[in-house]
């Protein structure tokens, strides 16, 4: 059974940084396009960033471009999201997701595997 487990969330002041990790177990992470999504209270889940299965392509939502960086450490079966210069608007539950089609898609419906989510709270 394939599982995704996120870690690294927490409470940080505005302007601070956090590093989220998503470990894939049961399959190799090379098989998947990896995405991060987030959901704030009372809002719909939104796309944040993705990285292709090869690592050669990335796609960032405009509101995080220049502040967030996605990478993958295939040897550790891990996808990583480095978040810098955080603002209170970044407060949300962050979800890691995997798409085995190898297409590059922002649509959350394309992702068949999801982690349990990790809370990120940014105080002003």
């Amino acid at each position: 059974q394939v599982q995704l487990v996120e870690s690294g969330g927490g409470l940080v002041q505005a302007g601070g940084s956090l590093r989220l990790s998503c470990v894939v177990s049961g399959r190799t992470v090379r098989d998947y396009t990896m995405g991060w999504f987030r959901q704030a209270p009372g809002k719909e889940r939104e796309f944040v960033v993705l990285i292709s299965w090869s690592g050669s392509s990335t796609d960032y939502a405009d509101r995080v471009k220049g502040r967030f960086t996605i990478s993958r450490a295939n040897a550790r079966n891990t996808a990583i999201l480095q978040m810098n210069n955080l603002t209170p608007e970044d407060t949300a539950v962050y979800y890691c997701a995997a798409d085995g089609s190898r297409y590059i898609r922002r649509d959350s419906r394309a992702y068949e595997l999801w982690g349990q989510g990790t809370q990120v709270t940014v105080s002003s």
Side-chain angles (χ1 to χ4, degrees):
Q1 184 179 359
V2 183
Q3 288 187 318
L4 278 60
V5 179
E6 303 102 332
S7 62
L11 174 64
V12 65
Q13 288 189 333
S17 298
L18 283 174
R19 183 180 174 95
L20 305 183
S21 294
C22 174
V23 178
V24 180
S25 63
R27 287 282 296 273
T28 175
V29 72
R30 285 193 189 90
D31 291 337
Y32 298 101
T33 292
M34 301 298 297
W36 287 93
F37 295 79
R38 67 187 183 186
Q39 187 167 17
K43 295 187 178 181
E44 293 186 353
R45 188 172 298 187
E46 66 173 355
F47 166 79
V48 177
V49 62
L50 65 82
I51 186 167
S52 65
W53 67 274
S54 65
S56 61
S57 298
T58 56
D59 185 17
Y60 292 85
D62 287 345
R63 62 186 65 191
V64 306
K65 201 172 293 184
R67 300 187 298 121
F68 290 13
T69 302
I70 190 171
S71 60
R72 55 195 306 155
N74 288 345
R76 290 184 282 127
N77 250 20
T78 301
I80 299 161
L81 180 61
Q82 178 67 42
M83 305 186 296
N84 298 327
N85 195 21
L86 286 160
T87 73
E89 289 69 38
D90 295 315
T91 294
V93 177
Y94 283 70
Y95 296 91
C96 172
D99 174 7
S101 72
R102 295 194 174 183
Y103 287 108
I104 298 175
R105 299 179 287 190
R106 292 188 172 195
D107 190 342
S108 63
R109 294 169 296 181
Y111 292 77
E112 67 264 30
L113 298 171
W114 291 83
Q116 82 286 355
T118 185
Q119 177 70 47
V120 171
T121 303
V122 185
S123 63
S124 57

